[in-house]
């Protein structure tokens, strides 16, 4: 079972989402775990739990003590280039767009500055800008156009 972004749980302290994990992560208590919502007893002792988090400091120590914690650093420049190339190719294949098979080195360098999860959004916007300009290749300016509007909230209203 994958618990994605465990560090983002929270909210109402009366309904602590971490509460069940204390028992589920211990073999002996997981063997006779009772789900309080559906009031069913289960044997959860053979479940392999995998959790992801961006910031382990917001996860309670008793939960962390029941887990093996692995810190994965952000990719270096070369690793980011490989990720950007993979995402670039994936987008072209998915959409069957006619663009250069590989972006220029300056475009890749600019993409490498982005977090991997943002690369796809940046590239989709860049492809759109290039298409509007009737180009079959990306320019660094296509990537930067998103940054200039980032952080500015669009007003909605009537």
């Amino acid at each position: 079972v994958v618990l994605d972004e465990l560090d983002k749980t929270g909210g109402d302290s009366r309904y602590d989402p971490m509460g069940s994990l204390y028992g589920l992560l211990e073999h002996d208590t997981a063997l006779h775990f009772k789900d309080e919502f559906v009031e069913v007893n289960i044997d959860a002792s053979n479940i392999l739990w995998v959790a992801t988090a961006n910031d382990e400091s917001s996860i309670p120590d008793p939960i962390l003590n029941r887990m093996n914690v692995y810190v994965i650093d952000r990719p270096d420049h070369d690793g980011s280039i490989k990720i950007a190339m993979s995402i670039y190719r994936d987008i072209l294949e998915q959409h069957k767009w006619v663009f250069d098979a590989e972006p220029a080195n300056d475009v890749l360098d600019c993409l490498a500055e982005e977090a991997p999860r943002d690369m796809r959004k940046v590239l989709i916007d860049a492809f759109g800008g290039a298409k509007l300009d009737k180009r079959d290749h990306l320019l660094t300016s296509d990537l930067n156009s998103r940054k200039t509007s980032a952080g500015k909230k669009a007003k909605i209203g009537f």
Side-chain angles (χ1 to χ4, degrees), residues 34-75:
K34 182 172 185 172
D35 185 302
E36 294 178 19
F37 181 72
V38 291
E39 297 183 6
V40 173
N41 291 317
I42 62 169
D43 175 0
S45 62
N46 290 313
I47 295 176
L48 175 63
W49 297 94
V50 176
T52 67
N54 293 319
D55 179 14
E56 71 181 66
S57 67
S58 63
I59 300 172
D61 285 336
I63 296 291
L64 288 175
N65 290 338
R66 290 168 167 81
M67 299 179 165
N68 294 327
V69 177
Y70 301 94
V71 177
I72 300 171
D73 293 324
R74 183 179 173 148

Side-chain angles (χ1 to χ4, degrees), residues 8-123:
K8 293 185 175 62
T9 61
D12 193 335
S13 61
R14 295 175 298 170
Y15 309 104
D16 180 13
M18 297 282 191
S20 297
L21 283 179
Y22 292 102
L24 287 168
L25 295 174
E26 289 287 343
H27 183 271
D28 293 341
T29 53
L31 191 62
H32 305 287
F33 180 78
K34 182 172 185 172
D35 185 302
E36 294 178 19
F37 181 72
V38 291
E39 297 183 6
V40 173
N41 291 317
I42 62 169
D43 175 0
S45 62
N46 290 313
I47 295 176
L48 175 63
W49 297 94
V50 176
T52 67
N54 293 319
D55 179 14
E56 71 181 66
S57 67
S58 63
I59 300 172
D61 285 336
I63 296 291
L64 288 175
N65 290 338
R66 290 168 167 81
M67 299 179 165
N68 294 327
V69 177
Y70 301 94
V71 177
I72 300 171
D73 293 324
R74 183 179 173 148
D76 63 8
H77 183 75
D78 290 341
S80 291
I81 294 284
K82 288 178 185 175
I83 292 168
M85 279 299 303
S86 176
I87 294 170
Y88 180 93
R89 289 179 181 141
D90 184 54
I91 291 171
L92 287 185
E93 177 149 332
Q94 282 180 349
H95 297 283
K96 307 294 185 216
W97 291 336
V98 180
F99 275 86
D100 289 345
E102 293 188 6
N105 287 337
D106 60 340
V107 170
L108 282 173
D109 285 335
C110 191
L111 277 170
E113 294 174 15
E114 297 290 336
R117 80 168 36 180
D118 294 329
M119 287 180 187
R120 181 171 299 276
K121 291 182 268 187
V122 169
L123 277 168

Side-chain angles (χ1 to χ4, degrees), residues 125-144:
D125 288 349
F127 282 124
K131 274 289 194 194
L132 288 172
D133 286 346
K134 299 181 181 5
R135 282 185 276 110
D136 63 354
H137 60 281
L138 299 182
L139 302 173
T140 57
S141 59
D142 296 321
L143 305 173
N144 294 330

